[in-house]
Amino acid sequence: MEQPDAEYLANQPAVYWTGAAHTAVVAFMHAEQSALGTSQRHWMTLNRLAVTADGLTRNGLTEALRASMTPQVGDPSTYAEVLDDLLDRGWITPDRTGRFTLTDTGRAARARLAALAPRLRARIHDGIPEDDYVRTVRVLRRMIANVSDQGRA
């Protein structure tokens, strides 16, 4: 891929390129995960429950994942469908208080999805030296801080 000169790139709008990168990466992830009959929201839910010892309620899960529910990932108002699907598959189960936890089947499904991660990461990072990736993430984190309350302290 031919790279434009630095002056041209320095004047490119961050809002366009961050949005385009998000859209492209999420579409790629969806396509790859759909081959297993899942979506990014399935993966995010299984991951969240895997690190939450006491489980989470429907509302708790929705709130925990709300920041990740961009239009490309899916509207939070349709998240109940994902939870119902995970219940139907037997991947999650509610306790008597309505808190969901992973089942053994859910942990196995999460492991299958996690096995995709190295291949997906390799594809996304192809041709990008690790130090460039780290620098890019640092720059993005700084941009976020610059325009949020984090940078105004």
Side-chain angles (χ1 to χ4, degrees):
M1 173 189 296
E2 186 179 326
Q3 293 295 324
D5 65 40
E7 182 180 347
Y8 175 79
L9 292 174
N11 289 302
Q12 291 292 296
V15 70
Y16 170 78
W17 289 107
T18 56
H22 177 73
T23 298
V25 170
V26 170
F28 169 70
M29 299 294 287
H30 277 308
E32 295 295 315
Q33 290 168 335
S34 70
L36 295 177
T38 61
S39 71
Q40 186 71 10
R41 296 190 299 174
H42 287 84
W43 171 244
M44 292 177 347
T45 303
L46 295 174
N47 276 339
R48 178 57 66 151
L49 289 175
V51 298
T52 308
D54 297 326
L56 289 166
T57 63
R58 279 182 182 267
N59 287 341
L61 275 164
T62 302
E63 286 308 309
L65 299 175
R66 184 173 297 282
S68 300
M69 296 281 189
T70 64
Q72 294 82 2
V73 173
D75 189 296
S77 69
T78 63
Y79 184 58
E81 297 167 14
V82 173
L83 291 176
D84 291 342
D85 184 52
L86 291 170
L87 280 166
D88 291 345
R89 292 171 188 239
W91 292 3
I92 63 174
T93 188
D95 67 12
R96 59 180 169 66
T97 66
R99 297 177 79 80
F100 293 101
T101 56
L102 293 177
T103 63
D104 288 342
T105 306
R107 281 187 281 284
R110 181 177 175 268
R112 284 191 305 276
L113 288 167
L116 286 175
R119 182 175 57 80
L120 301 183
R121 185 182 194 283
R123 172 85 181 271
I124 293 166
H125 290 235
D126 185 38
I128 303 169
E130 198 70 20
D131 60 333
D132 284 354
Y133 180 77
V134 169
R135 186 176 305 108
T136 299
V137 172
R138 285 184 176 142
V139 167
L140 291 170
R141 289 170 53 100
R142 178 56 191 244
M143 292 171 107
I144 292 164
N146 287 347
V147 298
S148 68
D149 291 337
Q150 299 171 38
R152 308 253 183 252

